[in-house]
Each structure stands twice: as C-alpha cells, then as structure tokens.
Amino acid sequence: ASYIKDLDGLLEVWATLFGNVSSIELAVRSYLIVLFKQGSSASAANLCNLFWENAADHSSTGEILEVVNFPLYPLQSFKLLQSLSGMGSQEIPNEDGDLSEAKQAANYSFQWLAQIRYLTLVLPEAEDVDDNFRRVQEDNGSYARFNVKDIELPGGLTIPSGSRGVELNRVNDKPVIIKWATHINGWNIVLSLLREAAGLNPPSRYKWEDFGISVPADQVLSSGISLISRLIAANDELGRDLLDLKGNSKSDILDIVFSVIRNRQIASSQEPIHVSLMSSALNMITCFVKTRSGRLWIEIQQAGMFSTTSQGNKTTVAQQIIEKEAKAGDYPSTLCVLRLVLALTENTVDEQFERDYR
C-alpha cells in the first residue's frame, strides 16, 4: 500500500466524512500503518474500482460520497475524488504501466460528479429569503425548502424553481445550509469555481462566496487542477469531455491552466501551494499534448513558456521555474517542465506547427 503517500490528507477526508473524532482517527492511522508493514499487493486502481462497484450495488456506500457536501467544501470534495481516481499518488502515469484499471476508476470518478444528485450550498442572505425559499416541515421533523424562483449560480448555472432542498443545520441556525436535489453536471460547477479563482468567470449577480464557498483562489486552483490532471492522465477521453464544457463562458479548462502558467508570481514563488499549483498545471498540459498539440504550441508560445513574449519579460517561465528550484535544491516543477518537453518532442505535429513553433 505504498501508493498512499498522504496519510494526513486521507485522515482529513475521513474527518470530513465521519467527524473529527480522535479515537476514529487513531484507529484509521493504526490500521494503515499495519497495512503498510504487511505490504499489501493490491493496486490503488483495483481498490478504487472495488469501491465504485460496491457503491453501485449498495446505496449506503454511495451515500458516503454525498456526505462530503459538494460543492460547499470543494477542497475535501476534490481530494476525495482524487483518492478514488485510480492514480494513487501519481499525476503522470509510468510509461510501461497498465492503465486499464486506472482508466476505469477515473471514469467512475468523472461520471459520479457529472451525474451528481445533490448540491450543498448556503442560502444567500436576503431580506425576502423565506418568501423565495418556502419552508416546509417534514414528517420526520426536519425542514425542507422549495425555491419559488430559479437560483442563479455563478457561471450561468441555475437551480430551477420548484427544486427541493433539505436543511442540514439545526433550526434557526445561521447561515442556512441546504442540500438541493438537482441535475446540474458537477463538472460545470468545478470549472466555474476554477474560472472564478482564475478571474475568468463571466459577470454574474453572485460569486461562489455568496453561497458559502470561501476558499483561497490558489488552493481551489491547485486542488481542482490536480484532480483533473489525474483523471485525464488515466483516461485522455475525459479531457475531450471537459473541453466541451463551457456553459456561457468563452474559457475552457486549457484557458484556466494557461492563466496559471502566465502568472509570473506563481512561477517565481517558493510557496508550497504555488509550487504544487504550477506542477499540476504543467502536468495537465502534458496530458493534453497527444490530443491538442496544435493549439498547445500556440498557447505555450503566447504564455512565454520557452520563449520571451512581447510583454517585456526578459526570462521564460521555464527559466524562472528552473532558477528558483535550483536555489532551493528541490525540483518538483522542473521535473514537470522536462516531462512536458519530452512529450512535445515525442508527439509529432504537422509541418506548419513544426516550422512556426518548434
């Protein structure tokens, strides 16, 4: 079980799902230590597929995923799906590895979010909230809400009028947290969260923080891009599906990623969150090389990845990354740059792109 590198991260997700109980945390940690010492031969992908298959057969297993309350807690949601994606601790798979199991697990993760049944959000504060969100007491004593009007979400998304939601907090607690029954593609919400964090969302009446989602932008970008890059690495067909999702925005997932690459403050920063973000962005570009090589050459040049642009930069993004990490003596993003270069040189492009951009 050496593929589980981040025990603390696993425990954080566990605590989110089942409560931060010290005895449970200690039990899980003790079990994992024993498991590591025994040297389990099961692969991460096999274990993930067993979970997903069990979730399909038993509703109680599938409900575990809903306890994370997407998208109110995006970081925990991303981390949970990442742990079930079949890639283990890797963002880029080994060249000689068999990806068939990981491809299946990644598809399970992708489809679960695409077909998500509930959205958990805080009701926006307003004087007429009880008029717009009719409150009804259920037979079991809990309270449900029915929205009289469409709920306008950022990114052009809406929860249609007449939708039913269940109050999750205690009576009269503020803010009011509602789990809405909905059929919105969860990936549209993920992309809207990433666009907002990157400053690319189209103008909207609300921001995600109005619905209770208040997480630093760099953390949302790092965690979200890391999740997506793992899914695409295991199953490149999912990359094409994600590129087709734009909603009312002109920007797709590659636009979001290249906005990170163009950010020189992130490229030169030694903050762990920025190093992780840049590494994940570079890995995602590498995953798209086989299917979007022509567009990538143009985007890479415009971002100043390997050449100076007309924006007055004297060094390339790659130079900034390499020089920064050479001083620190640690090379996570540099390795990602090298993998990208290798992918670009190994995947041929037509003569026009080879002449103009290579």
Side-chain angles (χ1 to χ4, degrees):
S2 59
Y3 50 83
I4 303 179
K5 303 293 186 183
D6 186 5
L7 278 177
D8 291 333
L10 176 60
L11 291 174
E12 181 184 337
V13 171
W14 182 277
T16 300
L17 292 174
F18 305 110
N20 192 14
V21 182
S22 58
S23 59
I24 293 178
E25 184 171 324
L26 180 60
V28 174
R29 184 181 291 274
S30 301
Y31 171 76
L32 290 172
I33 291 173
V34 171
L35 183 63
F36 293 163
K37 289 183 177 179
Q38 290 176 344
S40 172
S41 59
S43 70
N46 283 332
L47 291 176
C48 291
N49 285 324
L50 284 174
F51 173 87
W52 287 115
E53 290 161 8
N54 191 52
D57 296 334
H58 304 283
S59 60
S60 59
T61 304
E63 287 170 359
I64 290 175
L65 294 167
E66 293 168 4
V67 176
V68 78
N69 288 328
F70 175 85
L72 186 59
Y73 305 109
L75 301 187
Q76 291 87 341
S77 301
F78 296 160
K79 186 171 290 187
L80 182 61
L81 284 177
Q82 183 174 302
S83 69
L84 293 170
S85 67
M87 288 296 290
S89 61
Q90 298 176 315
E91 279 198 39
I92 298 294
N94 296 325
E95 289 294 327
D96 300 328
D98 181 6
L99 286 179
S100 58
E101 290 285 345
K103 182 176 182 178
Q104 183 178 1
N107 191 58
Y108 276 131
S109 294
F110 183 89
Q111 292 302 328
W112 178 82
L113 194 53
Q115 301 168 11
I116 194 167
R117 300 185 299 169
Y118 301 100
L119 292 181
T120 303
L121 298 165
V122 168
L123 281 186
E125 293 186 7
E127 295 179 359
D128 56 352
V129 65
D130 288 329
D131 293 331
N132 289 332
F133 300 95
R134 186 165 54 88
R135 195 171 189 240
V136 178
Q137 186 168 15
E138 309 268 78
D139 292 338
N140 61 4
S142 63
Y143 286 91
R145 295 267 186 171
F146 295 86
N147 56 317
V148 177
K149 301 177 181 179
D150 290 352
I151 303 174
E152 180 185 338
L153 302 176
L157 305 172
T158 59
I159 297 177
S161 62
S163 296
R164 177 181 179 273
V166 177
E167 291 188 7
L168 298 186
N169 42 346
R170 290 176 295 183
V171 178
N172 297 323
D173 275 3
K174 299 293 184 179
V176 180
I177 302 173
I178 305 292
K179 176 174 276 190
W180 295 101
T182 180
H183 300 292
I184 295 176
N185 186 329
W187 287 106
N188 278 321
I189 293 179
V190 171
L191 292 177
S192 180
L193 284 166
L194 295 178
R195 288 189 193 103
E196 184 169 289
L200 298 176
N201 247 356
S204 176
R205 178 182 177 185
Y206 294 109
K207 296 184 178 297
W208 283 111
E209 65 181 359
D210 296 318
F211 295 93
I213 303 173
S214 183
V215 182
D218 50 7
Q219 292 185 29
V220 172
L221 285 168
S222 179
S223 186
I225 290 175
S226 178
L227 166 63
I228 294 173
S229 66
R230 278 174 163 81
L231 296 178
I232 297 174
N235 185 351
D236 58 11
E237 294 174 4
L238 300 180
R240 289 189 283 270
D241 292 338
L242 282 168
L243 281 172
D244 291 336
L245 295 177
K246 287 188 177 182
N248 69 339
S249 173
K250 296 181 180 179
S251 57
D252 58 25
I253 184 59
L254 279 178
D255 294 315
I256 296 169
V257 171
F258 275 103
S259 75
V260 173
I261 299 296
R262 288 191 296 270
N263 191 321
R264 294 304 180 109
Q265 288 184 328
I266 294 176
S268 60
S269 171
Q270 295 185 359
E271 291 291 328
I273 186 66
H274 291 152
V275 173
S276 174
L277 172 55
M278 181 59 71
S279 298
S280 295
L282 290 167
N283 284 336
M284 186 184 292
I285 295 172
T286 301
C287 293
F288 272 111
V289 165
K290 291 183 179 180
T291 57
R292 291 293 185 275
S293 59
R295 174 181 172 183
L296 286 180
W297 282 113
I298 299 172
E299 297 273 12
I300 286 171
Q301 186 194 44
Q302 292 177 346
M305 186 70 213
F306 301 116
S307 61
T308 54
T309 65
S310 59
Q311 299 174 359
N313 295 309
K314 296 181 180 179
T315 60
T316 67
V317 174
Q319 282 178 285
Q320 281 189 290
I321 292 172
I322 293 170
E323 290 174 1
K324 170 194 68 178
E325 295 190 341
K327 294 177 181 177
D330 192 23
Y331 305 93
S333 296
T334 300
L335 292 174
C336 297
V337 170
L338 295 175
R339 279 195 289 262
L340 174 58
V341 171
L342 183 62
L344 288 169
T345 54
E346 287 180 345
N347 289 274
T348 57
V349 294
D350 61 43
E351 293 182 0
Q352 179 67 35
F353 283 113
E354 184 165 347
R355 181 174 63 253
D356 291 347
Y357 299 109
R358 199 167 185 178

